[in-house]
Amino acid sequence: MNERQKIPAVDRVLLQLPDLIEAHGRQPVTACVRAELAAAREGARHGLPLPEEAALLAAIRRRAEASARPHLRPVFNLTGTVLHTNLGRALLADEAVALMTEAARSPCALEYDLASGGRGDRDDLVCELLVELAAASLPADAYAATVVNNNAAAVLLTLNALAQGKEAVVSRGELVEIGGAFRIPDVMRRARVKLVEVGATNCTHERDYAEAIGPRTALLLKVHASNYAVVGFTKSVDEKAIAGIAHAAGVPFVVDLGSGALTDFTAFGLPAEPMPQQALAAGADIVTFSGDKLLGGPQAGLIVGRKELIARIKKNPLKRALRVGKTTLAALEATLRLYRDPQRLAARLPTLRLLTRPVAGIEALGQRLLPAVQAALGERAAVTLQPCASQIGSGALPVERLPSAALALRPPGHRTGKALAALEAAFRALPIPVIGSVQGDALRFDLRCLEDKDEARFTAQLAQLKF
Ligand SMILES: *Cc1c(COP(=O)(O)O)cnc(C)c1O
């Protein structure tokens, strides 16, 4: 009898896996059984012995569990970048998660006016809050807001609605690229707006703006150069002056703030970040900013500005294509409400809590973790606790660093590239993958974003490290 004939029948194998079928369903488990049997058959064809029954069943279990695991998995972000775009940016406050969950579960008054019983507007859920917070010092009845999928969408929509077929004037120093696919000149083209560049890379003067204005000018745009800094001999024109030039020419002034902090970061000991309040008070007619950067909310693009301009933006057909859903609006509303109470903001808003975390607390956590991590690694790496500098991320405050502490894992020897890659891979393979960063000869885990409440979950899984 040859090996192939000894391959068990699918049904016979299934009989031994009632609990797995109960957990995952008959069809997915059957698919796993077939896949493992096919692998065994293939192995046998190449002269390999058939797996023992126990090994076969274990492989089927592993396959079923792996395929049932969600692709979007939580990780420990120990990269040192707090708002990490690839790791999902801002963590939502409990209040936001609660309202979002409720909106997801039950019918909600998304576009329904409960007072009149008539049709409502989804932007109304957050419009008042946004105007109250972002246009704080201005007459509330002259301002309005609308929400789209992200800030890239906000810029695209604003430009298309206010300047399609016409010109927008931008400083050369602000023609930025933000993370690969978002370049201001490309967005302008897609919005069907002609870009008129003014000034030089490092210097733009008031007269540059004034001279660029002509009969086809539809707006003046300022873009916050979020992810880089121009240093040395530089000159840019402040918002008040650009607003003056725009208004003298009878065109609106639009500011893409990028991150946009809704509260004064210096009050929390953090570096200053441009605020929508300041831009609007300086005369900007429209500001756009992200929901999931420093604001600490869900992915969204917020557009706040003069009522008549917001009305034009909302009438544009692109708005419908770029609008957000109920769960986003729920998370955004709850997040914005937290800003009404600045005293408790740093405790309730995870982004701000992480950014303001005292370094002494981070170091204390490091001291507690060090023995456990060292024990889990044995000879594979020497673990030390060392000072490091976190960055805010997502283009916010690109040159500023926050003092922090990191576990540094150093494999022995000199040429440690492979050993480092193996260490990284082992931590990524944990049930909650741990993502660090390789710096020189060490794998570094910046502990800023490992909150004390997550300590037990972090250490519990160290025993499962496999090399
Ligand atoms: C981040 C950023 C954007 C894009 O925002 P998303 O919300 O990621 O789409 C646009 N402009 C500036 C200046 C930014 O910093």
Side-chain angles (χ1 to χ4, degrees):
M1 185 159 81
N2 71 30
E3 290 282 0
R4 286 180 69 171
Q5 285 166 325
K6 280 190 284 175
I7 302 255
V10 174
D11 285 344
R12 241 201 61 223
V13 181
L14 283 172
L15 279 178
Q16 300 179 68
L17 297 164
D19 59 316
L20 204 64
I21 292 170
E22 178 69 28
H24 301 292
R26 177 168 289 271
Q27 277 195 35
V29 175
T30 306
C32 293
V33 171
R34 286 190 203 286
E36 284 301 327
L37 292 180
R41 206 171 290 125
E42 185 63 19
R45 193 172 300 146
H46 291 89
L48 296 173
L50 280 180
E52 298 289 333
E53 182 170 78
L56 179 70
L57 294 179
I60 292 166
R61 284 179 187 283
R62 275 198 304 276
R63 190 181 277 269
E65 261 133 42
S67 99
R69 205 161 48 196
H71 291 305
L72 188 57
R73 284 165 62 199
V75 301
F76 285 113
N77 170 15
L78 305 192
T79 58
T81 300
V82 177
L83 294 170
H84 199 299
T85 297
N86 304 143
L87 301 181
R89 292 196 185 158
L91 314 180
L92 294 180
D94 292 340
E95 291 82 352
V97 174
L99 203 60
M100 191 174 180
T101 310
E102 227 168 76
R105 278 218 182 97
S106 53
C108 55
L110 178 64
E111 289 188 346
Y112 185 82
D113 181 13
L114 288 170
S116 69
R119 193 191 158 91
D121 176 341
R122 66 181 67 203
D123 282 332
D124 288 351
L125 299 169
V126 290
C127 179
E128 201 181 292
L129 270 162
L130 272 170
V131 169
E132 172 191 318
L133 295 165
S137 60
L138 300 158
D141 57 357
Y143 287 81
T146 182
V147 183
V148 288
N149 181 57
N150 55 16
N151 188 36
V155 175
L156 176 72
L157 174 62
T158 301
L159 288 172
N160 183 258
L162 303 184
Q164 179 172 11
K166 296 191 177 157
E167 296 174 357
V169 179
V170 194
S171 160
R172 282 212 168 78
E174 297 169 3
L175 297 175
V176 296
E177 168 174 319
I178 292 130
F182 185 87
R183 284 181 172 178
I184 290 293
D186 298 339
V187 175
M188 289 245 180
R189 207 169 303 123
R190 292 289 166 154
R192 305 204 174 190
V193 173
K194 183 161 184 283
L195 167 66
V196 176
E197 304 174 32
V198 297
T201 306
N202 56 334
C203 294
T204 301
H205 303 274
E206 280 183 45
R207 63 169 187 277
D208 295 324
Y209 284 101
E211 285 165 8
I213 291 179
R216 303 207 52 77
T217 306
L219 57 84
L220 269 54
L221 174 69
K222 186 172 179 67
V223 182
H224 179 48
S226 359
N227 53 1
Y228 76 111
V230 183
V231 293
F233 177 60
T234 67
K235 164 94 175 81
S236 64
V237 183
D238 71 29
E239 283 156 359
K240 204 165 177 174
I242 306 176
I245 297 165
H247 298 159
V251 297
F253 173 39
V254 174
V255 181
D256 170 14
L257 287 164
S259 196
L262 263 187
T263 187
D264 181 4
F265 267 48
T266 60
F268 298 94
L270 291 165
E273 173 75 15
M275 297 162 66
Q277 293 92 315
Q278 295 160 343
L280 290 169
D285 301 288
I286 292 284
V287 294
T288 76
F289 49 103
S290 290
D292 57 353
K293 291 185 180 173
L294 288 174
L295 187 88
Q299 179 189 305
L302 314 181
I303 310 175
V304 185
R306 295 204 152 269
K307 213 172 211 166
E308 64 280 8
L309 297 175
I310 295 288
R312 271 170 70 191
I313 290 170
K314 288 178 68 155
K315 273 205 215 99
N316 187 289
L318 274 178
K319 157 69 181 169
R320 171 60 193 254
L322 301 172
R323 74 179 185 185
V324 293
K326 61 178 182 172
T327 49
T328 298
L329 282 164
L332 182 61
E333 180 185 352
T335 305
L336 292 172
R337 283 184 186 282
L338 299 181
Y339 278 88
R340 282 184 162 166
D341 181 6
Q343 263 74 43
R344 287 195 289 167
L345 192 60
R348 295 159 95 190
L349 196 68
T351 300
L352 200 52
R353 188 167 74 223
L354 292 171
L355 291 175
T356 57
R357 193 168 173 206
V359 68
I362 305 174
E363 282 165 359
L365 171 67
Q367 293 292 359
R368 293 197 301 276
L369 291 177
L370 203 149
V373 176
Q374 182 66 78
L377 291 175
E379 305 281 288
R380 286 185 183 274
V383 186
T384 55
L385 183 65
Q386 63 182 48
C388 71
S390 318
Q391 31 180 4
I392 296 173
S394 285
L397 310 159
V399 280
E400 313 288 349
R401 291 290 183 273
L402 308 169
S404 183
L407 291 176
L409 285 51
R410 283 190 181 78
H414 291 293
R415 292 166 161 259
T416 53
K418 266 195 183 150
L420 280 170
L423 266 185
E424 276 191 289
F427 277 93
R428 277 201 312 269
L430 287 171
I432 307 173
V434 179
I435 319 287
S437 63
V438 167
Q439 313 248 329
D441 62 347
L443 170 58
R444 243 182 33 177
F445 292 147
D446 182 334
L447 300 174
R448 170 174 298 277
C449 295
L450 183 64
E451 294 197 87
D452 292 346
K453 64 181 169 60
D454 302 321
E455 182 179 348
R457 283 200 305 163
F458 179 83
T459 34
Q461 62 169 5
L462 290 175
Q464 297 181 56
L465 274 173
K466 280 194 213 72
F467 295 96

Coordinates of all heavy atoms in Angstrom, one line a residue, residues 110-111 119 122-123 146-150 153 157 317-326 328-329:
L110 N -29.4 60.3 12.8 CA -28.3 60.7 12.0 C -28.7 61.9 11.1 O -28.0 62.9 11.1 CB -27.8 59.6 11.1 CG -26.6 59.9 10.2 CD1 -25.3 60.3 11.0 CD2 -26.3 58.7 9.3
E111 N -29.8 61.8 10.4 CA -30.2 62.9 9.5 C -31.7 63.0 9.8 O -32.6 63.0 8.9 CB -30.0 62.5 8.0 CG -28.5 62.6 7.7 CD -28.3 62.5 6.2 OE1 -29.2 62.1 5.4 OE2 -27.2 62.8 5.7
R119 N -36.6 66.0 8.1 CA -35.2 65.6 7.8 C -34.2 66.5 8.4 O -34.4 67.7 8.5 CB -35.2 65.7 6.2 CG -33.9 65.0 5.7 CD -33.8 65.3 4.2 NE -32.4 65.1 3.9 CZ -31.9 64.0 3.4 NH1 -32.8 63.0 3.2 NH2 -30.6 63.8 3.1
R122 N -26.7 65.6 8.8 CA -25.7 65.0 9.7 C -24.6 65.9 10.2 O -24.1 65.7 11.3 CB -25.1 63.7 9.0 CG -24.2 64.0 7.8 CD -23.7 62.7 7.2 NE -24.8 61.9 6.6 CZ -24.7 60.6 6.4 NH1 -23.6 59.9 6.8 NH2 -25.7 59.9 5.9
D123 N -24.3 66.9 9.4 CA -23.3 67.9 9.9 C -23.8 68.6 11.2 O -22.9 69.1 12.0 CB -22.9 68.9 8.8 CG -22.0 68.3 7.8 OD1 -21.2 67.4 8.2 OD2 -22.0 68.8 6.7
T146 N -18.4 71.6 8.4 CA -18.8 70.3 7.7 C -17.7 69.3 7.9 O -16.6 69.7 8.1 CB -19.2 70.6 6.3 OG1 -19.7 69.3 5.7 CG2 -18.1 71.1 5.4
V147 N -18.1 68.0 7.8 CA -17.1 67.0 8.1 C -17.0 66.0 6.9 O -18.1 65.6 6.4 CB -17.6 66.2 9.3 CG1 -16.6 65.1 9.7 CG2 -17.8 67.1 10.5
V148 N -15.8 65.7 6.5 CA -15.6 64.7 5.5 C -14.6 63.6 5.9 O -14.2 63.6 7.1 CB -15.1 65.3 4.1 CG1 -16.2 66.1 3.5 CG2 -13.9 66.2 4.4
N149 N -14.3 62.7 5.1 CA -13.5 61.5 5.4 C -12.2 61.7 6.0 O -11.7 61.0 6.9 CB -13.4 60.6 4.1 CG -12.6 59.4 4.4 OD1 -13.0 58.6 5.2 ND2 -11.5 59.2 3.7
N150 N -11.4 62.7 5.6 CA -10.1 63.0 6.2 C -9.7 64.4 5.7 O -10.4 65.0 5.0 CB -9.0 61.9 5.9 CG -8.9 61.7 4.4 OD1 -9.3 62.5 3.6 ND2 -8.2 60.7 4.0
A153 N -9.4 64.9 2.0 CA -10.7 65.1 1.4 C -11.2 66.5 1.6 O -11.8 67.2 0.8 CB -11.7 64.1 1.9
L157 N -12.1 68.9 -1.4 CA -13.4 69.4 -1.5 C -13.5 71.0 -1.5 O -14.2 71.6 -2.3 CB -14.3 68.8 -0.4 CG -15.7 69.4 -0.3 CD1 -16.5 69.1 -1.5 CD2 -16.4 68.7 0.9
P317 N -21.1 68.3 -5.2 CA -21.4 66.9 -5.3 C -20.4 66.0 -4.6 O -20.6 64.9 -4.1 CB -21.6 66.6 -6.8 CG -21.7 67.9 -7.4 CD -21.2 68.9 -6.6
L318 N -19.1 66.5 -4.6 CA -18.0 65.7 -4.0 C -18.3 65.5 -2.5 O -17.9 64.5 -1.9 CB -16.7 66.4 -4.1 CG -15.9 66.2 -5.4 CD1 -14.6 67.0 -5.3 CD2 -15.5 64.7 -5.6
K319 N -19.0 66.4 -1.9 CA -19.3 66.3 -0.4 C -20.0 65.0 -0.1 O -19.7 64.3 0.8 CB -20.1 67.5 0.0 CG -20.9 67.4 1.3 CD -20.1 67.2 2.6 CE -21.1 67.0 3.7 NZ -20.5 66.6 5.0
R320 N -21.0 64.6 -1.0 CA -21.7 63.4 -0.8 C -20.8 62.2 -0.9 O -20.9 61.2 -0.2 CB -22.8 63.3 -1.8 CG -23.6 62.0 -1.8 CD -24.2 61.7 -0.5 NE -24.6 60.3 -0.4 CZ -25.9 59.9 -0.5 NH1 -26.8 60.8 -0.6 NH2 -26.1 58.6 -0.5
A321 N -19.8 62.3 -1.8 CA -18.9 61.2 -2.0 C -17.9 61.1 -0.9 O -17.3 60.0 -0.6 CB -18.1 61.4 -3.3
L322 N -17.7 62.2 -0.2 CA -16.6 62.2 0.9 C -17.1 62.2 2.3 O -16.4 62.3 3.2 CB -15.7 63.4 0.6 CG -15.0 63.5 -0.7 CD1 -14.3 64.9 -0.9 CD2 -14.0 62.4 -0.9
R323 N -18.5 62.1 2.4 CA -19.1 62.3 3.8 C -18.7 61.1 4.7 O -18.3 60.1 4.2 CB -20.6 62.4 3.6 CG -21.2 61.1 3.3 CD -22.8 61.3 3.3 NE -23.4 60.0 3.1 CZ -24.7 59.9 2.9 NH1 -25.5 60.9 2.8 NH2 -25.2 58.7 2.7
V324 N -18.9 61.3 6.0 CA -18.5 60.3 7.0 C -19.8 59.6 7.4 O -20.9 60.1 7.3 CB -17.8 60.9 8.2 CG1 -16.4 61.4 7.8 CG2 -18.6 62.0 8.8
G325 N -19.6 58.5 8.1 CA -20.7 57.7 8.6 C -21.1 58.0 10.0 O -20.4 58.8 10.7
K326 N -22.1 57.3 10.5 CA -22.6 57.6 11.8 C -21.6 57.3 12.9 O -21.6 58.0 13.9 CB -23.9 56.9 12.1 CG -23.8 55.3 12.0 CD -25.2 54.7 12.3 CE -25.0 53.1 12.2 NZ -26.2 52.4 12.7
T328 N -18.4 57.5 12.8 CA -17.4 58.5 12.9 C -17.9 59.8 13.5 O -17.3 60.4 14.4 CB -16.9 58.9 11.4 OG1 -16.3 57.7 10.8 CG2 -15.9 60.0 11.4
L329 N -19.2 60.1 13.1 CA -19.8 61.3 13.7 C -20.0 61.1 15.2 O -19.8 62.1 16.0 CB -21.1 61.6 13.0 CG -20.9 62.3 11.7 CD1 -22.1 62.3 10.8 CD2 -20.4 63.8 11.9

